[in-house]
Each structure stands twice: as C-alpha cells, then as structure tokens.
Amino acid sequence: MPGEKFVVTPWEVSGVVDYDRLIREFGTRPISGQLEKKFEEILGDAAYLVRRRVFFSHRDLDLVLDDHTKGKGLFLYTGRGPSGPMHIGHIIQFYFTKWLQDKLHAPVYIQITDDEKFLEEKRNLSYEDTQHWAVDNILEIAAVGFDPDRTFILQDTEFVGHAYPLILKIARRVNYSVAKSVFGFTGETNIGFSFYPSIQILPSLLEKRRCLIPSAIDQDPFWRIQRDIAEPMGYHKAAAVHSKFLPALTGVEDKMSSSQPDTTIDLGDDDKTVRKKIYRYAFSGGQATKEEHRQKGGDTDVDVPFQWLYMFFEPDDKRIEKIRTEYKGGQMLTGDLKDILIEKVTSFLNEHRQRKEKARSLVPLYKKDGALAREMWKRDFSKS
Ligand code: TYM
C-alpha cells in the first residue's frame, strides 16, 4: 500500500513513497492552479512533466517565475553525486534543467559531489572510484547540451578550495543539532560528512538573484537549511521544483540502483541489454495468461513500462491515453507495451550516446573556459 512505510532522505529512498504526505512532512507546496498554468506555458514541450505531476511540488516557484517575468532574472542549480554509472532517473533532472535553461535563458550551475560520495561510508567507494565516475558522469551531463557560456560544472574536489571563504560563512551558521535533526547524523557519522551540507548549499549562493533548483524530492532537506540562513547572509532563499522518483524496473516498491543492474537502465546500456532488461525484469501489471489479460486487462498503476512511458518517454497526451485505455481494456498485451517502451528507450539512449561522443570537447568549456566558468574561477570569494 502506498505510504505505509517509506523513507526519503538524500541518502536513502525506500518503500512506496506517499508524495502527498511528503509535501506535508517536508513543508513544501503542490504545484497547482495558476502557478501550474504559468509553469506549463514556460516549459512548452516539457509541460507534460508538470501536467502529469512528475514535477509535483515546489518552494517559491511563484517568486522565481515572477522575477523572470519582471526581468530580474534567476539562475538554475542542480547536481550529481558520482557514485557509479548514471541511470535514466538521474538524467531526467538534467534534461529538465536544460529545457528550463533554453526557455528562461538562465545560467546553470551543476555540482559534481565527488566529496560527498567519498565521505558516504556505506557506499565504500575509494577516492579513485569517485574520480573515475566524476569524469564519466560529467560526460553524460555534457551530452545533454547545456549552453557552454552559461553553464558551470563545479566538481567539488577541484572548486571548493577556491570558494572556501563562502563555504566557511555557510558552515558557521548551521549548528550541529539542526544538521542532526535534518539529516539524521549520529555519533558514528564522520566529521567530513557532517560538514558536507555546507558544500551542497554553496552553489545556491553563487549569485544574488533567486536560484531555482530542479531535483527529485530527496534533495530537499539541504534547501530547508539553506532557506534558514540565506537571507541573513544577504542572499535569496532557494526556490525548488521537486520531481517524483522514476520507479525501479522491478517494481514501484523497489529502489532504482545502479549497483543492482536489474532495477534500472543505465545510460551506457546497449540496445540488446535494454531489450533483455525490459523483457526480463520490468514489472508488469498484466495478467498471468493472454486469455485472462484479454478478459480483465492490465493495471497501469503498478505496471513499470506504463509508468516509464507516462513519466518521461511518451510526451504525447493522446498517445499515452490510448495506451492506457488499450492496456486496461485488455486489447494491448504486456509484450506489446514492453515493445513500445524498448523502442522509446533505445532511441533516446542512442541519441544521447551520439551526443556523449561529441561532448568531450565541451567539458573544458563547462569546467574552466566558458564565459560563466571563467567568471567563477576569477571571483574572489573572500568578498562574497
Ligand atoms: P544523485 O547523484 O543521487 O542524483 C542526481 C539527481 O537525480 C535525482 N534522482 C532521481 N530522479 C528521478 N528518479 C529517480 N529514481 C532518481 N534518483 C535520483 C536526484 O534527486 C538528483 O536530482 N547530493 C546530490 C548531488 C547534488 C544535487 C545538487 C542534486 C548536489 N547539488 C543540487 C540536485 C540538486 C546527489 O547525490 O544526487
């Protein structure tokens, strides 16, 4: 049953998440009414992600869109912890952020938290592992196609030294009992990990304009702390737009995890692997036999291929509703539905991979040489 027992923290997601309850518990707001309309207009082709409540919750989205309308501008911030290969769930956040950059003409800051993934002990990654995955993951992100002069990829182990004065100012304002209650730190937590939240807050203070942060809702606890300290420091409270989690292939109750290959599709999976994973592992809401399925139809609420199409891969509202009707009515079989998803995922991944090949030359622009990157490396953070 949804929501009976679930956990959502930046470092653990388990159980069937009750998103309405999360809105209440985290103190965020649903995207609805006027705001929904305005956001959909801005998003254009990506509006289905809001219409279908994939992005369902926010903080101060109204204020940040007002700033945009009034010409005050804004900036975008998102990130990735390089703990392994990236999967489809992760990359949704980056495509969404790129669509926002295109529409809002806003700078984008992308934090690569190699420090976080080294310090997160349960992952048991060596420093070299995190460096290896940082290189790989940055290429995946570069393949998304952000504007090289308006995008700065900051890899923590390279950049935080330069920004240390501002990080110190953040860290001095967060006391340990707040960090403990927000993140669940205990006496066993290493002191690097306890300090880490001040580093994830940093990019939200890289400009004096309002910052909008797209991510799944697991990252929200960081913004709760940011919002307590930003104004007294002379900055804006971060605005955020939160998505749900793309469910694991194996079922809506499972966690998508690159360390368990049957639960997810990684960006590097070739066509054959995609086909095999979807046929073999994707949890079906269909019936046990064809005859029974034709009679009773399938359950789209638990059917992962349907959920993946609905949440990302089939933007066309008419087509997705046709699939829903035919699958529920028993005319469409599980195999047919899986074939539709396989076709969508393989063509998405093939295009992404082609761009990844060409993205190598963009990486130095995002990290060092593009206009925004140069500005950041030149900045004197002791004056922030
Ligand atoms: P990480 O690497 O765990 O996740 C990267 C992004 O993917 C989102 N995400 C998902 N989205 C949809 N479906 C899923 N199943 C799914 N799993 C993860 C995450 O919410 C995130 O947006 N600490 C961060 C890195 C970070 C960051 C940020 C993320 C630093 N600054 C600002 C977002 C915004 C991390 O380890 O993300």
Side-chain angles (χ1 to χ4, degrees):
M1 286 297 286
E4 274 184 356
K5 196 159 177 269
F6 66 91
V7 179
V8 175
T9 78
W11 303 294
E12 187 187 352
V13 179
S14 62
V16 182
V17 180
D18 178 339
Y19 290 103
D20 292 333
R21 203 168 107 196
L22 219 47
I23 285 181
R24 290 195 299 278
E25 283 175 7
F26 279 15
T28 66
R29 286 164 56 201
I31 305 177
S32 52
Q34 285 283 85
L35 180 59
E36 183 186 340
K37 281 210 192 80
K38 188 167 178 191
F39 200 34
E40 282 187 36
E41 270 163 33
I42 288 173
L43 285 168
D45 289 348
Y48 74 103
L49 293 172
V50 175
R51 197 159 53 239
R52 298 183 192 171
R53 297 280 181 279
V54 177
F55 284 85
F56 71 107
S57 149
H58 76 103
R59 293 183 186 271
D60 285 355
L61 181 61
D62 42 350
L63 299 184
V64 82
L65 295 184
D66 278 353
D67 277 8
H68 168 69
T69 312
K70 289 182 186 143
K72 290 186 188 169
L74 68 136
F75 66 104
L76 297 161
Y77 159 40
T78 194
R80 159 72 184 153
S83 54
M86 287 175 77
H87 59 55
I88 302 267
H90 299 133
I91 208 69
I92 289 177
Q93 307 301 334
F94 292 92
Y95 278 99
F96 186 70
T97 306
K98 184 224 168 347
W99 290 327
L100 282 173
Q101 176 176 57
D102 290 349
K103 300 287 176 183
L104 301 171
H105 308 292
V108 173
Y109 298 83
I110 298 172
Q111 185 175 37
I112 304 298
T113 59
D114 48 354
D115 51 351
E116 176 194 19
K117 296 301 145 183
F118 176 64
L119 291 166
E120 195 185 345
E121 286 179 55
K122 74 170 196 282
R123 292 197 178 262
N124 212 8
L125 293 174
S126 70
Y127 187 76
E128 289 68 31
D129 293 334
T130 62
Q131 301 311 294
H132 166 82
W133 288 116
V135 171
D136 170 85
N137 291 182
I138 288 171
L139 264 184
E140 301 288 12
I141 293 166
V144 172
F146 292 97
D147 176 346
D149 278 321
R150 286 190 198 188
T151 304
F152 178 41
I153 298 185
L154 54 140
Q155 185 174 333
D156 284 346
T157 55
E158 292 172 359
F159 189 69
V160 298
H162 181 57
Y164 198 47
L166 181 52
I167 292 169
L168 285 178
K169 289 176 194 170
I170 297 167
R172 204 170 87 163
R173 286 178 186 265
V174 185
N175 70 42
Y176 197 60
S177 59
V178 169
K180 249 168 64 184
S181 76
V182 172
F183 296 110
F185 294 152
T186 67
E188 272 64 55
T189 307
N190 70 62
I191 57 174
F193 207 49
S194 314
F195 181 77
Y196 170 74
S198 41
I199 292 170
Q200 185 153 332
I201 288 170
L202 167 79
S204 71
L205 306 183
L206 287 174
E207 295 193 14
K208 295 263 168 157
R209 299 185 286 184
R210 251 181 242 283
C211 169
L212 174 62
I213 310 174
S215 77
I217 196 159
D218 59 331
Q219 300 297 313
D220 185 74
F222 291 103
W223 324 139
R224 229 175 294 157
I225 294 190
Q226 193 276 2
R227 289 167 62 83
D228 284 343
I229 65 171
E231 283 180 352
M233 291 177 72
Y235 294 85
H236 283 292
K237 289 183 179 182
V241 54
H242 307 114
S243 80
K244 296 178 181 169
F245 302 99
L246 191 72
L249 263 190
T250 41
V252 289
E253 293 191 23
D254 294 344
K255 183 189 176 314
M256 217 186 206
S257 159
S258 292
S259 53
Q260 288 167 277
D262 52 342
T263 63
T264 185
I265 288 180
D266 290 332
L267 301 180
D269 286 347
D270 60 19
D271 292 4
K272 209 170 132 217
T273 311
V274 170
R275 199 169 300 118
K276 190 185 86 188
K277 282 187 176 179
I278 293 180
Y279 274 139
R280 229 184 253 177
Y281 304 120
F283 186 84
S284 166
Q287 306 296 340
T289 64
K290 269 189 195 169
E291 293 66 39
E292 203 183 338
H293 188 86
R294 295 235 186 260
Q295 253 178 23
K296 296 187 187 157
D299 180 352
T300 47
D301 289 343
V302 298
D303 191 284
V304 173
F306 181 81
Q307 288 298 322
W308 278 35
L309 287 167
Y310 185 79
M311 288 183 72
F312 190 62
F313 287 105
E314 181 48 85
D316 187 308
D317 284 344
K318 281 205 186 103
R319 252 181 268 156
I320 196 74
E321 286 318 316
K322 188 164 179 281
I323 293 172
R324 190 202 296 276
T325 311
E326 291 184 3
Y327 191 64
K328 278 182 129 175
Q331 297 96 312
M332 184 181 284
L333 299 173
T334 298
D336 305 330
L337 185 57
K338 287 190 171 181
D339 284 338
I340 297 175
L341 182 66
I342 288 166
E343 156 63 27
K344 292 275 182 187
V345 174
T346 48
S347 72
F348 171 81
L349 287 182
N350 283 324
E351 279 172 32
H352 179 84
R353 259 194 303 269
Q354 273 171 22
R355 286 195 299 269
K356 186 177 175 188
E357 278 305 305
K358 293 187 200 131
R360 218 166 279 277
S361 61
L362 292 173
V363 172
L365 298 176
Y366 293 135
K367 291 182 88 175
K368 288 260 155 68
D369 303 328
L372 185 63
R374 279 201 315 269
E375 190 190 320
M376 287 301 127
W377 280 104
K378 258 196 255 151
R379 180 176 293 175
D380 177 356
F381 279 93
S382 64
K383 301 202 171 79
S384 293

